[in-house]
Amino acid sequence: MAKQNDNPRRYRETNDPDRVAALAERVAALKPVAIYASPLERTRETAAPIASATKKKVVAHKGLLECDFGDWTGFRWDQIQEKFGIAAYDWLDVLENGGIPNGDTADALRQRVRPCVQAILDDNAHRTVAVV
């Protein structure tokens, strides 16, 4: 598997502390019995206020890693279109039809995520969990 993206610049641009705090309050109101996140720093940082609000520990699971964007990693959508000829709205088709160069294919992503999600469901049947 190619390198996963944990771009701190992108994280700072999209992870507003007020929005994260509001999310933590809303999730805490659901009373989750467990909190799961990918091992990426930004997902664990997003999960931390939820963990604090619920008094639960965040369980990091590599099966929850996002799609590996391979050669596209670090580029904005307009740059991907310019450099690779792929429009932002076509990326799912690319993923399904052979994958992103040096990144995930849809099958690889499903093979990683599906067993993880199934294990979470099996371990927490009929209970509420949070997955970040």
Side-chain angles (χ1 to χ4, degrees):
M1 182 167 70
K3 181 176 169 271
Q4 289 290 325
N5 185 18
D6 201 4
N7 184 334
R9 179 184 52 79
R10 185 170 137 210
Y11 168 75
R12 282 191 302 276
E13 292 171 355
T14 60
N15 205 3
D16 179 303
D18 292 334
R19 291 178 74 186
V20 172
L23 172 67
E25 286 181 33
R26 290 189 67 161
V27 173
L30 299 172
K31 300 183 183 348
V33 298
I35 302 166
Y36 298 88
S38 86
L40 294 179
E41 181 180 359
R42 62 189 162 81
T43 60
R44 289 181 289 117
E45 286 181 2
T46 299
I50 299 168
S52 178
T54 60
K55 309 284 190 268
K56 303 289 181 193
K57 184 177 178 180
V58 177
V59 178
H61 198 300
K62 68 180 182 177
L64 294 173
L65 283 168
E66 65 189 28
C67 177
D68 184 340
F69 284 92
D71 290 355
W72 299 357
T73 299
F75 291 104
R76 294 185 318 264
W77 285 114
D78 61 324
Q79 294 170 319
I80 291 170
Q81 184 164 6
E82 182 180 315
K83 186 173 175 93
F84 300 97
I86 303 295
Y89 51 83
D90 291 333
W91 78 272
L92 287 172
D93 289 334
V94 172
L95 192 65
E96 278 294 335
N97 296 300
I100 299 164
N102 297 307
D104 274 338
T105 63
D107 285 340
L109 182 61
R110 281 190 288 270
Q111 287 174 14
R112 180 174 66 250
V113 174
R114 187 174 286 144
C116 177
V117 171
Q118 189 61 57
I120 291 170
L121 292 171
D122 291 346
D123 291 346
N124 298 284
H126 307 289
R127 299 186 295 174
T128 300
V129 299
V131 179
V132 179

